[in-house]
Amino acid sequence: MGTKALLFFALFSLLAIASVADTESTESDSGLILNFYRDSCPQAEDIIKEQVMLLYKRHKNTAFSWLRNIFHDCGVESCDASLLLDSTRRTLSEKETDRSFGLRNFRYLETIKEALERECPGVVSCADILVLSGRDGIVALGGPYIPLKTGRRDGRKSRADILEQYLPDHNESMTVVLERFKNIGIDTPGVVALLGSHSVGRTHCVKLVHRLYPEVDPVLDPGHVEHMLHKCPDAIPDPKAVQYVRNDRGTPMKLDNNYYRNILDNKGLLIVDHQLATDKRTKPYVKKMAKNQDYFFKHFGRAITVLTENNPLTGNEGEIRKQCNVANKRH
């Protein structure tokens, strides 16, 4: 073989290696990749985005639901849409547990699923729909666009029986909250950023009356207490009644860093909000995010990425559900 031929062969080999390395760099340790449906359903992500925006224009509160879905599904052992499964005679749905109180609008995920099934039957998983609708919901709320990998498959079982082992409650100590997220791979600034989701949406009175009755929590801002009492006039509210307080009175429909300024002013509705602003491990990050929204968005994006890549089913694992609320029938 001549010198030119050897040089060409060496160059070709290097380019091939570089190409493989570049391809592999787009794949995470979880087995997910960016634009997984590029060949099998090229319009998938556009369809999800279009449906999210249409639904958001009609029903603004859907965006809060899509954001919460990521936390409640991906935070419990695997990001596999187990949250969406209905109860059966043998198993309770995660949707019906106390920890999932207030979650709603699941029917709109079915609307998105139906649109995808018309375009590409049996291709796009409910787990990916859940994650991507959450991503697009974040953008609708004024938050950052987060490039998220896809390729998840759907699980077949509810995890209602172990849910409380994974999801921290709003009354848990900050130590427990940090530890639960650390187990997923989310660091302290990531936890502080994720709780910034409380910038939008609302808190049902059932979840906060213990800070108002029989005595008002003395750490609460007196002016804010007056508003909370007006919205939650009953010590034992009817859980079926629509009684709630907006998480952020200033910009209730916008995902921004106003939440951090509120909790530093003792206007957080939940115990976890107060702890976030006062615990020595989290307070420095709260102050930084209160001053700098870009800093908040940077850590928020990182934390959402880690959360959505939590132990997904990929390859031949799981299934692609035909309906998001029911596992496929096995023949």
Side-chain angles (χ1 to χ4, degrees), residues 15-27:
L15 287 172
I17 292 170
S19 177
V20 171
D22 181 65
T23 299
E24 292 178 345
S25 69
T26 64
E27 183 170 345

Side-chain angles (χ1 to χ4, degrees), residues 28 30-34 66-67 69-76 78-81 127-135 138 146-153 184 186 194 300-314:
S28 64
S30 61
L32 305 174
I33 61 172
L34 289 169
W66 292 321
L67 178 52
N69 287 343
I70 290 179
F71 170 67
H72 282 264
D73 185 62
C74 299
V76 185
S78 174
C79 202
D80 67 348
D128 277 340
I129 294 171
L130 182 149
V131 165
L132 294 180
S133 63
R135 178 190 70 184
I138 289 167
I146 307 167
L148 295 178
K149 295 181 173 70
T150 43
R152 298 166 192 78
R153 289 172 65 84
I184 299 174
I186 299 174
L194 277 182
F300 183 79
R302 288 177 180 174
I304 289 290
T305 299
V306 173
L307 186 58
T308 58
E309 293 184 12
N310 180 32
N311 194 31
L313 302 178
T314 57

Side-chain angles (χ1 to χ4, degrees), residues 21-90:
D22 181 65
T23 299
E24 292 178 345
S25 69
T26 64
E27 183 170 345
S28 64
D29 293 338
S30 61
L32 305 174
I33 61 172
L34 289 169
N35 205 9
F36 176 82
Y37 299 104
R38 178 179 54 195
D39 298 323
S40 58
C41 189
Q43 301 301 315
E45 295 198 24
D46 289 336
I47 291 171
I48 293 172
K49 180 180 179 180
E50 178 185 23
Q51 290 293 318
V52 165
M53 296 312 296
L54 284 172
L55 289 165
Y56 178 67
K57 287 180 180 178
R58 297 173 192 161
H59 317 280
K60 297 291 186 184
N61 286 340
T62 55
F64 315 145
S65 303
W66 292 321
L67 178 52
R68 284 192 70 191
N69 287 343
I70 290 179
F71 170 67
H72 282 264
D73 185 62
C74 299
V76 185
E77 197 170 57
S78 174
C79 202
D80 67 348
S82 61
L83 171 68
L84 306 182
L85 291 169
D86 289 342
S87 293
T88 67
R89 285 178 295 177
R90 297 182 179 180

Side-chain angles (χ1 to χ4, degrees), residues 203-275:
T203 298
H204 287 263
C205 292
V206 172
K207 295 294 185 179
L208 58 83
V209 287
H210 63 285
R211 301 193 72 192
L212 300 174
Y213 304 97
E215 296 180 355
V216 172
D217 187 336
V219 303
L220 285 167
D221 173 78
H224 204 54
V225 167
E226 185 178 348
H227 173 69
M228 292 168 69
L229 287 169
H230 175 70
K231 291 292 187 178
C232 302
D234 303 312
I236 306 176
D238 179 357
K240 295 182 180 179
V242 185
Q243 290 181 304
Y244 62 86
V245 182
R246 288 286 183 189
N247 291 341
D248 179 358
R249 294 173 67 188
T251 54
M253 302 295 290
K254 187 175 181 182
L255 181 66
D256 58 17
N257 63 338
N258 203 41
Y259 163 76
Y260 301 104
R261 291 190 285 270
N262 285 337
I263 63 175
L264 287 170
D265 289 338
N266 297 314
K267 295 178 181 177
L269 299 179
L270 302 172
I271 294 293
V272 71
D273 299 325
H274 174 68
Q275 291 186 35

